[in-house]
Amino acid sequence: MTASARPWVLALGLLTALRLVAAMMLPPAPDEAYYWIWGRALALSYYDHPPMVALWTAAGSGLLGDTALGLRLLGPLSVAVASVLLARAGNALFPASGAGYWAAALLNGTLLFSAGSVLMTPDTPLLVFWCAALWAWVQAHLRQDGRWWLVFGVLAGCALLSKYTAAFLGLGVLIWMIAAPRARHWFRDWRLWAGGILAVVVFSPVLVWNAQHDWVSLVKQGGRAGSVGTGSALRYLGELIGGQIGLATPIIFVLCVAGIAVACRRFWRGDAAAGLLAAATIPAALVFLWQSTGSRVQGNWPAILYPSACLAAAGYLSPRWHRWRRWGISVGLVLTAMVLLQAALAPLPLPRRSDPTLARLGGWQDFANRVEELRLERGASFVAAEEYGLASELALHLPRGTPVIALGDRWDLFNLPEPPPGGRGLLIRSTRRGEAEPLWPQSEPAGEVSRRREGIEAERYRIYNVTVIGDGPRKVALPSRR
């Protein structure tokens, strides 16, 4: 380890330790609880996403139990590995400049990567394998060794097993080889095509599952690209750009945009390495911008743009930009610490409308305890919910052995048992769903209960008395904590 690398490695180790502490302290979000259900009902793929997040959740829970840290264990650890690989890619592209360390530091300064890595969502393994595949791509270019395409293929396949947006990796490579004269010779190398075949083989479980289920997952995700929303194009575009400025943090966002702009200019002048970074960023960015002209682009979707953009910012911007790197990283890490601190300890008594951490993370264990008290008081044999996140949170937080029943179309494709008929239970339903009748037939209103954190209400729920009958949507019994 060189003297210049030692402080960076120590900082990464400290940051990883802090992320593990945060992962242990933060209550699981509804989507994380939902992915925990996936890990307890492993399948080749799922309606919402490919299976990598389920595998990671199952592995962590198998090691540390059905705890918050167990669900998230692989996130902070793998993000540290991804940071090292991104740094190695940058140091190889820009030798003797330390640009790789700066690129990884910039990426770790974004809320998308830094705070996002604490939570277990499909974006976490996606970004890890994206960084690893980008590193392999850089090695193939710099070493001119086709064996690296085999490595790239396996890593790109793992990225595809994480989230479908990893397809932009293959598109980026194709555009780069077409546009960069120095890269076109790869079309004649069999190892490039073998790498593509390896990617498809790794991804094949998702294809098999989709073939068995009328291609529902691919149709759903592909349909999003052409969907039309109810808002104006300017509104959606503004939300996309404003969201990225916030999630990347303002200074790092500007640095990334400026870095990619310089990379595009250098690529125009014949720099194949600059073209590599531009091809890894621009095609996906253009697709997201196009989609925002007709529908909302979720803030986490463009996360794949930042590894290559951070490399460009660290490697191509002139020295007059360098002082902004430290400011960007510092501001990003401070904002990350503030968000995680508020989510874990809520030092600021903010209402729901001002605190997204309250809405998603606040008060789940106390809420589950209150629901269990009501179940016992009323002699109910189970608890049920229509919303997948609410049902998953209840399954994760209710005492071991308390049955939780989920209902709705989302559960049709899970291999989970149906509850026996005749049982009487409580249906918990958020008041956000309005006054419409519950999906459960023959339900009887029975009061309300709220979820709170430090006395501040996060959400209110209606309670209904229900009985398991054959009518209505499919009902499944969710796994409970081990």
Side-chain angles (χ1 to χ4, degrees):
M1 184 187 303
T2 63
S4 60
R6 191 172 294 113
W8 182 87
V9 172
L10 292 174
L12 180 61
L14 177 60
L15 189 58
T16 302
L18 292 175
R19 284 173 177 155
L20 288 170
V21 172
M24 179 175 60
M25 294 182 63
L26 293 180
D31 282 347
E32 291 183 285
Y34 182 48
Y35 301 135
W36 167 75
I37 297 290
W38 291 18
R40 297 292 304 278
L42 290 173
L44 293 178
S45 191
Y46 302 88
Y47 174 65
D48 307 82
H49 295 291
M52 188 63 76
V53 67
L55 296 173
W56 282 31
T57 300
S61 297
L63 290 171
L64 298 182
D66 296 327
T67 62
L69 183 57
L71 270 67
R72 299 164 171 156
L73 177 64
L74 295 190
L77 297 179
S78 61
V79 160
V81 175
S83 300
V84 172
L85 293 178
L86 189 71
R88 290 177 65 88
N91 289 339
L93 282 172
F94 311 102
S97 68
Y101 299 132
W102 281 108
L106 286 170
L107 185 61
N108 277 275
T110 66
L111 284 171
L112 279 167
F113 194 79
S114 194
S117 66
V118 174
L119 306 178
M120 182 51 67
T121 71
D123 293 291
T124 304
L126 169 67
L127 284 172
V128 169
F129 289 117
W130 185 284
C131 289
L134 186 61
W135 164 72
W137 184 358
V138 168
Q139 297 301 315
H141 168 64
L142 295 179
R143 297 174 183 265
Q144 291 295 296
D145 185 346
R147 291 175 294 182
W148 282 100
W149 290 120
L150 305 178
V151 178
F152 175 87
V154 172
L155 294 172
C158 290
L160 277 169
L161 276 182
S162 304
K163 204 170 182 181
Y164 294 119
T165 47
F168 285 114
L169 274 171
L171 178 62
V173 169
L174 179 62
I175 292 174
W176 175 65
M177 290 191 300
I178 293 173
R182 289 181 55 195
R184 292 173 191 161
H185 71 92
W186 289 118
F187 281 116
R188 301 187 298 272
D189 193 316
W190 67 269
R191 292 167 295 189
L192 170 74
W193 304 106
I197 293 172
L198 283 174
V200 173
V201 169
V202 173
F203 183 60
S204 62
V206 177
L207 299 176
V208 170
W209 185 91
N210 271 275
Q212 295 171 343
H213 297 88
D214 298 323
W215 306 99
V216 291
S217 183
L218 292 175
V219 169
K220 173 196 175 185
Q221 298 299 335
R224 284 183 171 181
S227 61
V228 177
T230 58
S232 69
L234 287 178
R235 172 189 170 187
Y236 290 136
L237 181 61
E239 286 180 358
L240 171 61
I241 296 174
Q244 294 312 297
I245 292 173
L247 291 172
T249 68
I251 297 175
I252 295 178
F253 179 81
V254 171
L255 291 172
C256 287
V257 171
I260 285 297
V262 174
C264 290
R265 187 177 66 203
R266 292 177 67 100
F267 181 40
W268 184 258
R269 297 173 180 174
D271 187 338
L276 186 158
L277 298 181
T281 311
I282 297 298
L286 292 177
V287 170
F288 292 133
L289 287 170
W290 164 75
Q291 186 173 355
S292 72
T293 63
S295 62
R296 178 171 288 109
V297 175
Q298 298 299 323
N300 58 301
W301 293 357
I304 55 176
L305 306 178
Y306 292 101
S308 49
C310 287
L311 285 172
Y316 287 129
L317 293 183
S318 62
R320 65 188 178 90
W321 290 87
H322 289 180
R323 67 189 181 95
W324 289 106
R325 298 187 304 198
R326 295 183 184 275
W327 277 108
I329 295 164
S330 299
V331 170
L333 292 177
V334 168
L335 288 175
T336 298
M338 291 173 61
V339 168
L340 295 178
L341 185 64
Q342 180 66 17
L345 302 176
L348 300 177
L350 301 176
R352 176 191 168 104
R353 65 179 179 274
S354 304
D355 186 358
T357 71
L358 172 63
R360 303 295 293 170
L361 304 175
W364 284 111
Q365 187 59 65
D366 289 341
F367 172 70
N369 293 342
R370 178 57 182 153
V371 169
E372 177 67 3
E373 289 175 2
L374 292 172
R375 184 187 73 84
L376 295 175
E377 287 174 6
R378 303 182 184 189
S381 61
F382 64 85
V383 175
E386 298 172 352
E387 297 171 84
Y388 72 91
L390 173 58
S392 302
E393 288 279 9
L394 290 170
L396 181 60
H397 288 97
L398 285 171
R400 187 182 295 110
T402 297
V404 175
I405 296 176
L407 66 155
D409 295 340
R410 185 179 293 267
W411 302 100
D412 287 348
L413 302 177
F414 281 80
N415 185 23
L416 290 169
E418 295 188 6
R424 295 181 57 83
L426 301 180
L427 173 68
I428 312 298
R429 192 171 191 263
S430 173
T431 56
R432 288 185 296 104
R433 300 177 75 86
E435 300 295 333
E437 290 296 319
L439 297 176
W440 198 299
Q442 301 179 23
S443 54
E444 176 188 342
E448 293 188 355
V449 63
S450 66
R451 173 168 58 91
R452 296 175 176 272
R453 183 179 68 187
E454 301 297 329
I456 301 176
E457 184 171 276
E459 195 154 0
R460 179 165 290 275
Y461 304 85
R462 294 188 179 94
I463 304 172
Y464 297 83
N465 293 322
V466 294
T467 302
V468 178
I469 57 177
D471 296 340
R474 186 184 178 214
K475 307 170 186 66
V476 298
L478 299 185
S480 62
R481 288 186 298 176
R482 288 167 290 200

